[in-house]
Amino acid sequence: MLDIPTPVVNYILSFLIEARSLAYLLVKKDGCLLAWGGKLAAYGITNLCKGENIGEQIFFLEGLLPLDDAYLFLPLIKIEHGICIDIHIFSSQEGDWVLLLDSTRDENYLSPIQQKTNDHSLLQEKLTKIKNQ
């Protein structure tokens, strides 16, 4: 493990919790919600019920769990309320952890770049068609 100074770890934790609205869920291997915390309300997630199936409570997790001792990273997922999130899912002895981090800022940065790329591709196709006629 890296030898990371405590002030650096504290900064990273504060950044993730505040700037990225860190939220977490712990789901047993049978799909039932065991624990949760963090800034779930920032993602419109409220009224969770311990012991109930997670896929019935949070629609975008349906079919993703349980994991087979692997990890899953889903970047820039658009959920309800127009929020864009990064979803990290990994296994532990307790069950599967689901971490949610706000990635709206990343999306706002990348969207115009992607749009320019798409526009360029369309223009290339038009030019190719004109050239071939």
Side-chain angles (χ1 to χ4, degrees), residues 14 19 33 36-37 40 44 49 56 59 63-64 66 78 81-82 92 116:
S14 293
L33 181 61
W36 62 89
L40 287 166
C49 296
E56 294 174 9
F59 79 93
L64 294 177
K78 192 75 120 179
H81 313 293
S92 73
K116 290 287 185 192

Side-chain angles (χ1 to χ4, degrees), residues 8-76:
V8 174
V9 172
N10 290 338
Y11 171 82
I12 291 170
L13 289 174
S14 293
F15 176 78
L16 289 174
I17 292 167
E18 295 304 319
R20 299 287 306 269
S21 297
L22 173 67
Y24 67 89
L25 305 159
L26 176 57
V27 182
K28 294 191 315 187
K29 290 295 185 179
D30 66 1
C32 292
L33 181 61
L34 185 60
W36 62 89
K39 297 189 171 193
L40 287 166
Y43 306 109
I45 300 172
T46 57
N47 302 322
L48 294 173
C49 296
K50 187 174 184 175
E52 297 293 321
N53 185 284
I54 193 63
E56 294 174 9
Q57 297 184 68
I58 302 176
F59 79 93
F60 59 81
L61 293 177
E62 182 68 40
L64 294 177
L65 302 170
L67 286 182
D68 296 326
D69 296 326
Y71 70 92
L72 182 60
F73 172 55
L74 302 169
L76 301 169

Side-chain angles (χ1 to χ4, degrees), residues 88-122:
H88 298 261
I89 305 174
F90 62 94
S91 291
S92 73
Q93 288 184 336
E94 300 97 328
D96 293 330
W97 289 92
V98 179
L99 303 181
L100 307 175
L101 297 168
D102 187 326
S103 60
T104 303
R105 202 153 95 196
D106 296 339
E107 180 199 31
N108 290 340
Y109 173 76
L110 293 172
S111 278
I113 295 169
Q114 182 64 49
Q115 186 59 51
K116 290 287 185 192
T117 302
N118 292 343
D119 291 346
H120 180 71
S121 293
L122 288 172

